[in-house]
Amino acid sequence: MTSVPIHYYLILAGFLFSSGLLIVLMKRNIVFVLMGIELMLNAAHLNFAAFSRFDSKLDGQVMAVFSVVLAAAEAAIALAILLNIYKKHHTSDLEDLKELKN
Amino acid sequence: MNTGVWMILTLLLPLMGGMLAYTFRIQAARIATGFAFLALALSSLLLINGFNWSTRFLWIPEFHLGWRVDQLALVLCTLVLLISFLVHLFSVKYMHVHEHPRYFLKLGFFTTAMLGLLMADHLLLLFIFWEVVGFASYLLIGFYHEKKEAAKSAKWAFLTNRVADVALLGAILSLGFEQSFFLSELTAIPSVWIGAGLLIGAMGKSAQLPFSGWLPRAMTGPTPVSALIHAATMVAAGVYLMLRVGPFLPEVVLTCAAIVGALTAFFGAFTAVTQHDVKQVLAYSTVSQLGFMFLGIGVGAFESSFFHLWTHAFFKAGLFLAAGVLMHHVGTQDMRQMGGLGGSMKWLMTLHVICGMALAGFPLFSGFMSKEGILQATWSWAEQQTAAGYSEAHLVSYFAFFTLFLTAWYIARQVWMIYWTPSRTVASVEGSGYHWQMGIPLILLSIASLGIVQGFHVFSSSGWVMELAGFSLAAHAGSLIPFVSSGLVLIGFVHCYGLYGPRRFYVQHYAQSTYPPSIMGRLSYFGWYVDSLYDRVLSSGYVTVAKGLHWFDKKAVDGTVNAIGVSGVVFAKFLSLVDTYVVDGFVQLTVWISRQVGRLATRIQSANVQHQIAWLIFVLILLLVFLLF
Amino acid sequence: MTESVFFFLFSGMAVAGVLFMLFTRNVIHAAYGLVVVLLSVAALYVLLNAQFLAVVQLLMYAGGVVVLLVFGIMLTTRKQHGPPISGHRMVPLGVVAAGGFFGILATIILQQDFAWVPVESAMDQTKQIGMVFLTDHLVAFEFIAVVLLATLVGASLLAKKSSEND
């Protein structure tokens, strides 16, 4: 078999996940952070898909489909909240959104 | 007859007599005198029979002591007992009856101690008796202990002796461990230190120059005591020691003895010429004559020294007893208050003059014979030393001859002042009779001072006693010495008469005179300031040292105490500082640490979401690492 | 052989897109990067024999989520402030955290021995997945429907609130 071994996919998924994490930790813009979250979710989906290749029942794919749906729903809600926040504070910078005293 | 029992008995009889006298107070005088006579008789018998005895006995394990009674010791024992008996007899009437028990006890104790000293063979035994004799003399000098002067003099005598005895003890111990402790086993002593120690010890006992202060002071004791102790016996102990070890001493030590002797002789005579107290004159005279004896030993004339010791005992005791009789009748010791007594006390005057001539060394008297021996020996010694290159040796002989002149001078002065000058006494002399107890001893002693009694050849320098004591006769070729000395004595008498003769100006004012104003006179009167020098240097020096030590003690001790106190306070303050900074500091540190940890911990709970997420990831990583690896 | 070529191609695209997202400060540009990544991931799905999933990805993510995000960007920036710039913060900390996480993951993955054989699916995938939805994972399916309904209601509620505040 000359197919790509699964490790590669998994490593790639791991890389995507770490980068998503990095974006979440690093960026100041809320939307940017949301993007990072989407990236992380994608990494997980890729992981599922990689493993479902060896499954005759396609459980991994199913899981990934569900996850995609939920991710989309979550993105919608997040955006709604973002708009609310923007209305209130007139900023989308995480640095300025601090009400908890340090 | 050669057993030691008799000698031990002789030794103990005087002490027994004294103790019995103390016990039976009423008959004290008779008991004591009787025992003294018994002892004397016993000793004379032994002497006549040629007694010779030596023994060793065990004292402590591995350590023996010994007695030895040879001719010399026996002769001296007899001398001591004779003088002691005469003094006992004299004291019967001289001392008050209530004083008798204590007095005779002390006298007997002294006599026994002196005999023990003479009989000892072992050096340590001799040293023991040496000290006991010193103690006995302390008791007797301070007999009138209510008088402060007497107590002080007794102390002075004892202490001076003790100082000299340190050297003596050191020398005895070194000698004993080097050679032997037994006198009969001594051979030549090479060590100068040992010899010096022995010499110093003898000098202390015999009142030679550095240690001479106690003898004139000792005159505060009763006059018979002075006669016994300070004329005849105790002071002779030093000479006796020298006689015993002398032949074995190194040259240097003997030369020192000669020099010291000559100087002391000169010093004593020089001081005696200006004294006003009868007994003081005699005391300094004793110092001077002892110096002669030391001189004799130093030049090697042991037999002449011994002979002089023998004759000196008689005429000096006689002089002291005469002074005693004088004081008993006139009531004063001061010659300034006497004078013109020749008329009423003819008999006493005669005896006094006889003894005085003997002292001066006038031909036909005993003193002349013994002094000749010493002077001739000194001259030949000086000649020898000059031949060997030390021409200064003749200085010694010049001193000796000059002392002869001075001796004649002072004794003539005494005699004149008392008997022949116009009367200065306020009251006339009572014409009471003399007790035979006081007279007989005096007569006997005066007879013994005559030359003929001591030796048939009155112009020779030897007497029969020398043979008796085991010395060979002094053999000196006829020389000019006798004539020179006789001449000096005559000049002394004439010069004195020139100054102190009757109807002279000086004499008329004598009653008010104190000390001669000239430098020599003052030097003489105050005994060359030796005593005040000692006082200044030793006493003040000692006091200064004591004061210094006291100051130091105060500073050091108080300083230390204060320092301890201060250091205690300082330490306490330091501790409080430590408490404040260290202990409290620790507490503060823990507080600070917990605050920082708290701060650190709260930072996790930051307002920033991303921080929170970051911390979350961190912990997750840690968990994973922990679980997987 | 060809599989690996395509794999490296599309994974390279994905990585490039990710890196672009990381290093840019412009949010819009980052959205474009995200689109690239999503598309490459869809292609990878195809390689992994998950065609249905690839299509779903395209429809939902690239078509829906990204649009939403861009809407969000547009609505929350003011034009007069210039292009939306997002600064970086706690870079080292983030790098350490993310890097550490990636390191651990890589270590775990590389240590495993996945010796499986890929399975060829016999049936048409869409049909198969539809069958699975309605038989094995029915509850999840229904549940997702409920969630979507809730999302709908919630979003409209939130939107309504914001509109009331206006």
Side-chain angles (χ1 to χ4, degrees):
Chain A
M1 280 289 167
T2 55
S3 60
V4 178
I6 191 172
H7 302 92
Y8 289 21
Y9 287 102
L10 297 181
I11 296 285
L12 179 66
F15 178 74
L16 286 179
F17 187 88
S18 308
S19 324
L21 183 61
L22 191 59
I23 289 170
V24 164
L25 294 177
M26 225 169 55
K27 304 294 182 182
R28 276 166 78 161
N29 201 324
I30 301 181
V31 185
F32 223 133
V33 171
L34 286 171
M35 285 192 227
I37 294 172
E38 296 307 323
L39 203 50
M40 285 201 279
L41 283 167
N42 264 285
H45 301 161
L46 187 57
N47 214 334
F48 273 123
F51 275 111
S52 88
R53 204 171 169 212
F54 306 100
D55 190 10
S56 58
K57 286 202 300 182
L58 298 175
D59 275 333
Q61 263 193 61
V62 167
M63 184 66 210
V65 168
F66 280 140
S67 185
V68 168
V69 169
L70 285 173
E74 171 250 319
I77 298 292
L79 223 58
I81 295 172
L82 168 66
L83 286 176
N84 264 333
I85 288 173
Y86 188 75
K87 283 277 190 284
K88 203 153 186 195
H89 300 278
H90 298 283
T91 178
S92 64
D93 196 334
L94 276 173
E95 198 61 31
D96 302 331
L97 295 171
K98 282 201 266 199
E99 280 186 17
L100 192 66
K101 288 256 196 278
N102 203 355
Chain B
M1 196 63 173
N2 264 348
T3 51
V5 175
W6 300 109
M7 208 56 220
I8 301 293
L9 191 63
T10 315
L11 169 72
L12 290 173
L13 272 173
L15 181 62
M16 288 198 289
M19 294 205 290
L20 283 171
Y22 193 72
T23 322
F24 300 103
R25 292 172 176 259
I26 315 286
Q27 301 293 332
R30 295 207 185 145
I31 294 172
T33 319
F35 271 82
F37 181 74
L38 266 174
L40 171 64
L42 201 53
S43 175
S44 323
L45 271 172
L46 291 172
L47 186 61
I48 292 169
N49 280 322
F51 180 77
N52 205 318
W53 169 69
S54 165
T55 184
R56 305 276 165 93
F57 59 93
L58 193 65
W59 183 42
I60 53 177
E62 308 254 343
F63 200 75
H64 285 90
L65 298 175
W67 304 109
R68 180 175 72 142
V69 182
D70 61 350
Q71 290 165 292
L72 175 63
L74 196 50
V75 166
L76 284 175
C77 285
T78 314
L79 174 69
V80 167
L81 283 167
L82 176 61
I83 308 280
S84 172
F85 166 66
L86 291 175
V87 163
H88 270 91
L89 194 57
F90 188 88
S91 310
V92 169
K93 280 301 170 189
Y94 187 82
M95 306 293 289
H96 292 287
V97 174
H98 71 269
E99 288 167 344
H100 279 179
R102 191 164 63 101
Y103 177 79
F104 282 116
L105 171 63
K106 292 185 180 179
L107 215 57
F109 174 63
F110 170 82
T111 312
T112 300
M114 189 66 209
L115 289 175
L117 192 153
L118 291 170
M119 284 166 52
D121 192 20
H122 196 272
L123 274 169
L124 273 182
L125 194 60
L126 187 137
F127 186 75
I128 292 172
F129 279 109
W130 189 277
E131 295 298 324
V132 176
V133 163
F135 175 60
S137 96
Y138 164 82
L139 288 176
L140 284 166
I141 293 171
F143 186 74
Y144 300 121
H145 53 77
E146 298 88 16
K147 288 196 217 158
K148 229 167 69 153
E149 271 306 308
K152 222 168 116 176
S153 321
K155 222 176 9 167
W156 192 301
F158 191 69
L159 288 176
T160 313
N161 258 308
R162 286 307 270 151
V163 170
D165 290 346
V166 170
L168 181 63
L169 186 58
I172 285 179
L173 288 173
S174 324
L175 183 60
F177 287 116
E178 240 185 67
Q179 282 191 30
S180 161
F181 276 112
F182 288 99
L183 281 167
S184 44
E185 285 175 9
L186 282 183
T187 53
I189 302 170
S191 162
V192 172
W193 293 108
I194 296 179
L198 290 168
L199 179 63
I200 290 173
M203 276 160 64
K205 192 64 110 202
S206 298
Q208 295 301 293
L209 196 54
F211 304 106
S212 60
W214 65 273
L215 193 51
R217 273 178 176 49
M219 296 300 119
T220 55
T223 311
V225 163
S226 304
L228 177 60
I229 296 183
H230 308 124
T233 47
M234 196 184 87
V235 295
V239 183
Y240 170 71
L241 178 65
M242 281 288 114
L243 283 174
R244 284 289 192 205
V245 302
F248 310 112
L249 288 176
E251 272 282 328
V252 183
V253 177
L254 287 177
T255 313
C256 282
I259 295 171
V260 165
L263 276 173
T264 309
F266 177 69
F267 157 75
F270 193 77
T271 316
V273 299
T274 51
Q275 300 300 316
H276 298 302
D277 187 327
V278 174
K279 284 178 72 174
Q280 287 289 306
V281 174
L282 295 177
Y284 281 110
S285 162
T286 309
V287 171
S288 174
Q289 297 302 306
L290 287 168
F292 258 106
M293 290 179 222
F294 266 74
L295 173 63
I297 289 176
V299 303
F302 297 105
E303 58 283 333
S304 301
S305 279
F306 163 74
F307 191 34
H308 195 58
L309 177 68
W310 171 266
T311 55
H312 174 266
F314 289 111
F315 60 68
K316 195 45 77 60
L319 280 170
F320 269 108
L321 291 185
V325 173
L326 193 65
M327 282 150 44
H328 197 85
H329 282 272
V330 179
T332 176
Q333 285 181 202
D334 201 332
M335 292 198 292
R336 292 172 286 189
Q337 293 168 6
M338 299 180 195
L341 293 171
S344 46
M345 301 171 93
K346 281 206 177 56
W347 171 73
L348 180 62
M349 186 183 77
T350 317
L351 296 175
H352 200 144
V353 166
I354 293 175
C355 295
M357 298 282 244
L359 170 61
F362 199 72
L364 288 179
F365 292 93
S366 62
F368 172 77
M369 296 157 74
S370 53
K371 277 198 202 172
E372 281 321 295
I374 293 179
L375 287 169
Q376 282 176 346
T378 310
W379 190 261
S380 30
W381 173 83
E383 292 284 306
Q384 272 178 358
Q385 294 296 319
T386 316
Y390 302 106
S391 55
E392 305 86 17
H394 265 294
L395 268 177
V396 172
S397 43
Y398 295 151
F399 266 107
F401 281 109
F402 191 59
T403 310
L404 207 60
F405 167 73
L406 287 173
T407 310
W409 217 93
Y410 66 70
I411 195 68
R413 172 175 173 270
Q414 186 180 61
V415 166
W416 255 289
M417 280 300 147
I418 296 175
Y419 298 110
W420 283 343
T421 53
S423 172
R424 295 179 295 277
T425 51
V426 178
S428 61
V429 171
E430 59 197 87
S432 64
Y434 300 104
H435 303 278
W436 67 269
Q437 290 97 335
M438 286 164 67
I440 300 285
L442 201 49
I443 292 174
L444 286 173
L445 289 169
S446 307
I447 293 175
S449 304
L450 291 172
I452 196 78
V453 176
Q454 297 297 344
F456 195 65
H457 300 279
V458 294
F459 288 104
S460 80
S461 50
S462 334
W464 51 267
V465 71
M466 291 162 77
E467 264 191 82
L468 202 58
F471 290 106
S472 53
L473 292 177
H476 295 283
S479 63
L480 285 171
I481 305 284
F483 298 103
V484 172
S485 57
S486 316
L488 278 171
V489 170
L490 268 175
I491 293 172
F493 284 152
V494 168
H495 188 244
C496 183
Y497 180 80
L499 211 55
Y500 289 110
R503 292 186 302 281
R504 286 292 187 239
F505 166 79
Y506 189 78
V507 171
Q508 281 150 6
H509 296 273
Y510 186 57
Q512 292 87 27
S513 70
T514 48
Y515 60 86
S518 66
I519 296 179
M520 296 288 260
R522 257 182 297 187
L523 207 60
S524 159
Y525 188 77
F526 291 111
W528 293 38
Y529 298 106
V530 172
D531 297 333
S532 59
L533 192 74
Y534 274 153
D535 195 38
R536 194 88 49 86
V537 171
L538 290 178
S539 317
S540 324
Y542 187 75
V543 166
T544 314
V545 169
K547 277 198 184 145
L549 283 177
H550 167 71
W551 171 89
F552 171 77
D553 178 53
K554 214 159 75 115
K555 290 267 170 195
V557 172
D558 279 6
T560 316
V561 170
N562 284 344
I564 291 176
V566 167
S567 70
V569 171
V570 166
F571 189 61
K573 285 223 170 108
F574 169 71
L575 278 181
S576 85
L577 262 175
V578 165
D579 186 49
T580 311
Y581 287 113
V582 175
V583 175
D584 285 3
F586 265 125
V587 174
Q588 302 280 358
L589 187 69
T590 44
V591 166
W592 181 83
I593 286 175
S594 54
R595 191 180 298 153
Q596 294 308 111
V597 167
R599 279 226 188 98
L600 205 66
T602 49
R603 279 220 259 152
I604 297 174
Q605 303 265 346
S606 73
N608 200 315
V609 176
Q610 284 157 321
H611 275 144
Q612 296 183 357
I613 299 176
W615 280 112
L616 192 147
I617 299 296
F618 263 133
V619 174
L620 184 62
I621 291 175
L622 279 170
L623 263 168
L624 283 172
V625 168
F626 178 65
L627 282 172
L628 296 170
F629 300 118
Chain C
M1 185 53 191
T2 45
E3 195 184 334
S4 31
V5 169
F6 278 121
F7 170 78
F8 282 114
L9 176 69
F10 288 120
S11 59
M13 264 174 68
V15 170
V18 162
L19 287 177
F20 180 69
M21 277 175 79
L22 277 173
F23 286 109
T24 185
R25 300 183 91 198
N26 198 329
V27 191
I28 297 290
H29 294 175
Y32 294 145
L34 186 64
V35 170
V36 167
V37 172
L38 292 172
L39 292 176
S40 355
V41 169
L44 283 170
Y45 286 154
V46 172
L47 275 173
L48 284 171
N49 210 9
Q51 300 94 351
F52 184 71
L53 186 57
V55 172
V56 167
Q57 165 99 346
L58 279 175
L59 279 175
M60 298 290 297
Y61 262 114
V65 173
V66 172
V67 170
L68 276 177
L69 285 173
V70 170
F71 262 118
I73 295 167
M74 291 304 179
L75 286 173
T76 59
T77 56
R78 304 207 180 187
K79 194 138 184 247
Q80 46 272 45
H81 289 166
I85 300 291
S86 165
H88 297 159
R89 58 195 311 277
M90 27 186 277
V91 174
L93 186 65
V95 168
V96 166
F101 195 76
F102 177 62
I104 290 173
L105 273 178
T107 316
I108 298 168
I109 291 166
L110 289 174
Q111 274 178 2
Q112 304 304 322
D113 239 353
F114 300 113
W116 300 330
V117 178
V119 175
E120 281 288 337
S121 62
M123 259 203 281
D124 175 22
Q125 275 209 345
T126 314
K127 188 172 179 186
Q128 187 179 6
I129 286 174
M131 293 275 284
V132 169
F133 269 173
L134 292 169
T135 51
D136 291 328
H137 303 294
L138 180 64
V139 179
F141 182 65
E142 293 302 325
F143 191 71
I144 282 213
V146 173
V147 168
L148 279 174
L149 178 66
T151 308
L152 210 66
V153 171
S156 58
L157 199 67
L158 281 171
K160 188 179 167 210
K161 255 201 184 146
S162 61
S163 69
E164 269 184 9
N165 286 339
D166 266 341

